């Protein structure tokens, strides 16, 4: 198990941006910035195979149209697995869109999108991924917004064999991010900055072909490994999906003329 403290220097490397990514406040805060020349990004030093990953983010304030802040887990290769949070910027006063996706063995197209019930630029909020052999649960401030269950029994691949790193980037995507690309990035507002703090990974670190976790672990600090949503969490999930979900691929029959993906029949 790796229970990570909040010193970013110990757990992350700035990987792009030529100085636009910074670790400040004695390692307690990481910032990414974007200007017309370049965005920036970071990745975890460790790879993980299952875990509960928490990060607090404060998103680009003001007119963030055209920008995307991505925070995700991903493996490598052509049949990669990936678990995505992406925050699509918008004009001042309009809500951010939280875009989620799950890739398994290189196949994605499982988008669900949400508005948030708060202003994600005014303060830090906690965005969490719980990934265990039974399911993947996306949460915001402890409230689940999405669950992707292991449905291998009906032929849907599930991320379970490929270790993943944590990545984040801030980049310009004004060809699609805001109103399908109709609203462009206003570079007079640059630099755009997103901030990160309080990273925590209660997770299985993958190193030299082996996991730091024992599959039979039953200690309390590995409760996440077998955790499922209780009825209260299920109710919170339904509340979010009823009131704040704005797109669900499982409801988009036009996109799948051959029929909806098999997991949609189970959700």
């Amino acid at each position: 198990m790796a229970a990570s403290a909040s010193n970013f220097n110990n757990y992350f490397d700035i990987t792009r941006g030529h100085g636009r990514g910074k670790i400040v406040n004695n390692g307690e805060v990481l910032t990414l910035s974007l200007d017309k020349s370049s965005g920036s990004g970071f990745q975890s030093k460790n790879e993980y195979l299952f875990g509960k990953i928490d990060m607090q983010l404060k998103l680009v304030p003001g007119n963030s149209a055209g920008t995307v802040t991505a925070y995700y887990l991903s493996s490598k290769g052509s049949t990669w697995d990936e678990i995505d949070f992406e925050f699509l910027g918008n004009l001042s006063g309009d809500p951010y869109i939280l875009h989620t996706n799950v890739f398994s063995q290189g196949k994605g197209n499982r988008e669900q999108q949400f508005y948030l019930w708060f202003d994600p630029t005014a303060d830090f909020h906690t965005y969490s991924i719980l990934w265990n052999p039974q399911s993947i649960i996306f949460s915001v401030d402890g409230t689940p917004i999405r669950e992707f269950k292991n449905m291998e029994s009906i032929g849907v691949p599930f991320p379970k064999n490929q270790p993943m790193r944590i990545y984040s980037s801030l980049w310009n995507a004004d060809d699609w991010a805001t109103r399908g690309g109709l609203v462009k990035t206003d570079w007079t507002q640059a630099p755009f900055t997103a901030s990160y703090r309080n990273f925590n990974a209660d997770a299985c670190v993958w190193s030299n072909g082996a996991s730091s976790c024992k599959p039979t672990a039953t200690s309390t600090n590995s409760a996440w490994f077998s955790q499922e949503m209780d009825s209260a969490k299920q109710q919170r999930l339904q509340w979010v999906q009823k009131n704040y979900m704005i797109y669900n691929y499982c409801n988009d029959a036009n996109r799948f003329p051959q029929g909806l993906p098999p997991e949609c029949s189970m959700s």
Side-chain angles (χ1 to χ4, degrees):
M1 299 293 167
S4 304
S6 56
N7 190 327
F8 279 96
N9 290 299
N10 295 336
Y11 297 100
F12 292 94
D13 294 313
I14 306 283
T15 49
R16 51 186 290 256
H18 305 289
R20 291 172 180 83
K22 296 187 175 80
I23 297 175
V24 296
N25 291 19
N26 297 316
E28 291 182 359
V29 173
L30 188 152
T31 61
L32 294 181
S33 67
L34 162 70
D35 58 34
K36 198 161 187 178
S37 299
S38 177
S40 51
F42 65 86
Q43 70 180 47
S44 61
K45 295 177 188 289
N46 288 325
E47 292 182 291
Y48 303 95
L49 186 65
F50 304 125
K52 183 177 185 300
I53 312 287
D54 303 316
M55 184 83 82
Q56 291 194 326
L57 278 74
K58 183 161 71 169
L59 299 179
V60 174
N63 179 3
S64 58
T67 72
V68 172
T69 306
Y71 161 58
Y72 58 102
L73 295 168
S74 182
S75 64
K76 296 287 193 188
S78 59
T79 56
W80 76 101
D81 295 335
E82 187 173 323
I83 304 169
D84 281 342
F85 279 112
E86 291 187 279
F87 303 89
L88 313 186
N90 219 330
L91 294 169
S92 299
D94 288 346
Y96 261 81
I97 291 173
L98 171 50
H99 175 101
T100 67
N101 205 350
V102 176
F103 288 75
S104 50
Q105 297 181 14
K107 180 184 178 300
N109 298 326
R110 298 188 177 102
E111 298 89 350
Q112 290 183 358
Q113 294 184 337
F114 306 84
Y115 288 143
L116 294 165
W117 48 97
F118 53 84
D119 176 358
T121 73
D123 204 349
F124 286 90
H125 291 269
T126 303
Y127 302 91
S128 305
I129 293 167
L130 172 65
W131 171 34
N132 65 27
Q134 294 81 246
S135 68
I136 295 162
I137 300 171
F138 298 75
S139 297
V140 178
D141 289 339
T143 294
I145 63 167
R146 176 175 187 175
E147 180 179 31
F148 183 79
K149 292 181 178 176
N150 184 332
M151 290 172 282
E152 290 175 306
S153 61
I154 59 167
V156 179
F158 185 81
K160 66 171 190 179
N161 297 316
Q162 301 187 65
M164 299 200 242
R165 289 189 199 277
I166 303 164
Y167 297 88
S168 190
S169 58
L170 174 58
W171 47 292
N172 177 46
D174 67 2
D175 55 335
W176 65 270
T178 306
R179 295 186 60 211
L182 292 176
V183 183
K184 300 301 182 183
T185 303
D186 179 0
W187 293 111
T188 68
Q189 306 293 314
F192 303 97
T193 301
S195 302
Y196 302 73
R197 73 179 188 193
N198 289 348
F199 164 70
N200 190 72
D202 192 0
C204 302
V205 174
W206 186 265
S207 180
N208 299 319
S211 171
S212 63
C213 295
K214 307 245 182 321
T216 56
T218 55
S219 60
T220 54
N221 66 343
S222 61
W224 59 265
F225 195 81
S226 57
Q227 185 177 332
E228 298 182 14
M229 282 196 289
D230 60 21
S231 59
K233 293 278 190 187
Q234 292 275 8
Q235 287 181 335
R236 294 293 286 169
L237 176 71
Q238 290 165 8
W239 172 79
V240 172
Q241 297 199 339
K242 179 182 175 203
N243 293 291
Y244 295 98
M245 181 186 277
I246 57 172
Y247 177 80
N248 181 1
Y249 75 106
C250 281
N251 295 336
D252 194 349
N254 291 335
R255 186 176 165 195
F256 300 101
Q258 306 302 313
L260 292 171
E263 67 267 21
C264 292
S265 64
M266 306 289 287
S267 59

